[in-house]
Amino acid sequence: MSTILFQNIPKSLCLGVLLLFMFSCKSKKGLTDGGLAKNFSAKSIIRTHYQNALSFKTLSGKMKIDYTNGEDSQGVSVSLRMEKDKAILISAPFGVVKAYITPNRVSFYNKLQNEYFDGDFSYLSKILGTDLDFEKVQNLLLGQALFNLQEGKYDVTIVDKNYQLIPKKQASLFKALFQIEPENYKMARQELSQPQKERLLSVAYKKYQKVSAWVVPNEIMITAIDTDVTNTIAIEYKNIEFNRALNFPYKIPKGYKEIVLEKDDI
């Protein structure tokens, strides 16, 4: 998800986590076929959001990623492969950097610096400041709600021509909001904040695109704020294809130095 909420995380790890973002959703009939309903309820909006979740076996394509922290910036085009609920593989040109994520593993390596990271979701969870697992990461990348909206109760209003859902009872340490666009009932924006620590994670889905029968994100903007440090990631998806036969070649080269994060790094 957003690469960094903390200033002193190693740049190699930032780049690796940066490469863990992407894609999609299939559109079913919504409540109002693209218009805001006059009589709406949080329950019906949430139900349609999940009805429109994409069902697929594999997804592949390209991503253009631009990252900046206000001082440094970098851009890269990468290839993307995903097997739903099982694996995500992202590779920079010539395999210079590869990132691989499964339900039990978060890993990447960087040939330019002869470094690698291989661990579980605990590091990503600490970076984001909330517990993560494969399903939550996948939901974020698919334009689905990060958390299970069906487990809570929400107040709903119309904000920026989207349905905005705010929990009736916010968590003690975190505050969340979700905006669902009315055309495809996909996420328009989702935010998670820690006001006491001046932290904010915002994911905005700027555009969606139709690929055959599927509706997929076209542009995503991720913003992470930690006190006075702001990091942004802009993602653009291109040449998306579904259900091709894919393999997922990934092997950490021998002789690379392992990146080990200490508590002070996080």
Side-chain angles (χ1 to χ4, degrees), residues 172-189:
S172 58
L173 298 178
F174 299 96
K175 296 186 181 300
L177 72 80
F178 306 90
Q179 288 186 5
I180 297 177
E181 49 84 20
E183 183 173 356
N184 305 295
Y185 284 77
K186 307 310 304 175
M187 276 292 149
R189 175 183 296 274

Side-chain angles (χ1 to χ4, degrees), residues 1-265:
M1 338 283 357
S2 166
T3 55
I4 15 183
L5 283 179
F6 302 91
Q7 215 170 355
N8 55 350
I9 293 176
K11 288 187 177 180
S12 290
L13 180 59
C14 294
L15 180 58
V17 178
L18 167 63
L19 294 180
L20 294 178
F21 298 91
M22 42 189 235
F23 29 101
S24 71
C25 292
K26 182 178 180 179
S27 176
K28 300 179 181 178
K29 183 177 177 63
L31 294 179
T32 60
D33 292 325
L36 290 167
K38 294 181 180 179
N39 299 314
F40 55 85
S41 67
K43 186 176 180 179
S44 62
I45 293 166
I46 291 169
R47 181 174 62 248
T48 307
H49 172 68
Y50 285 104
Q51 287 175 344
N52 287 4
L54 175 60
S55 177
F56 66 96
K57 292 183 179 180
T58 67
L59 181 151
S60 59
K62 303 285 186 181
M63 292 193 306
K64 183 178 182 294
I65 305 174
D66 292 302
Y67 164 75
T68 180
N69 62 7
E71 296 181 358
D72 299 322
S73 61
Q74 54 186 304
V76 62
S77 294
V78 301
S79 64
L80 163 69
R81 298 183 183 191
M82 179 182 188
E83 184 175 6
K84 192 171 186 292
D85 299 327
K86 295 183 178 181
I88 298 167
L89 178 66
I90 301 174
S91 179
F94 308 108
V96 172
V97 177
K98 276 191 176 183
Y100 184 59
I101 182 171
T102 69
N104 299 314
R105 184 184 186 192
V106 175
S107 182
F108 77 91
Y109 64 80
N110 184 339
K111 289 185 176 180
L112 295 179
Q113 298 183 9
N114 293 338
E115 293 180 324
Y116 76 92
F117 173 82
D118 196 30
D120 58 23
F121 283 87
S122 60
Y123 290 132
L124 286 180
S125 297
K126 290 177 182 178
I127 289 170
L128 271 183
T130 187
D131 289 336
L132 290 178
D133 55 28
F134 186 89
E135 182 179 11
K136 287 179 181 178
V137 173
Q138 180 175 255
N139 284 345
L140 177 61
L141 301 176
L142 291 173
Q144 291 295 114
L146 180 59
F147 300 101
N148 187 350
L149 300 181
Q150 296 170 317
E151 294 180 347
K153 295 183 179 180
Y154 297 83
D155 292 318
V156 56
T157 56
I158 295 175
V159 177
D160 297 330
K161 298 182 180 180
N162 298 311
Y163 296 115
Q164 179 164 287
L165 304 175
I166 296 179
K168 289 181 178 292
K169 185 178 181 180
Q170 292 276 15
S172 58
L173 298 178
F174 299 96
K175 296 186 181 300
L177 72 80
F178 306 90
Q179 288 186 5
I180 297 177
E181 49 84 20
E183 183 173 356
N184 305 295
Y185 284 77
K186 307 310 304 175
M187 276 292 149
R189 175 183 296 274
Q190 45 189 330
E191 293 185 355
L192 180 65
S193 64
Q194 294 176 279
Q196 293 180 346
K197 295 185 178 181
E198 299 183 65
R199 292 175 180 168
L200 170 70
L201 172 68
S202 174
V203 184
Y205 299 83
K206 297 294 186 180
K207 292 182 180 179
Y208 282 88
Q209 58 183 311
K210 189 170 184 179
V211 180
S212 299
W214 312 102
V215 174
V216 302
N218 181 244
E219 296 180 12
I220 302 175
M221 177 67 72
I222 301 170
T223 304
I225 300 174
D226 184 12
T227 314
D228 59 349
V229 179
T230 299
N231 301 279
T232 61
I233 303 168
I235 301 172
E236 182 180 1
Y237 299 101
K238 299 180 179 180
N239 304 324
I240 298 297
E241 296 182 76
F242 291 95
N243 298 330
R244 292 178 52 201
L246 299 176
N247 55 25
F248 292 78
Y250 182 83
K251 185 177 180 180
I252 298 171
K254 292 182 179 180
Y256 280 26
K257 180 182 179 181
E258 182 178 7
I259 297 173
V260 179
L261 295 185
E262 303 295 338
K263 290 184 179 180
D264 291 342
D265 294 324

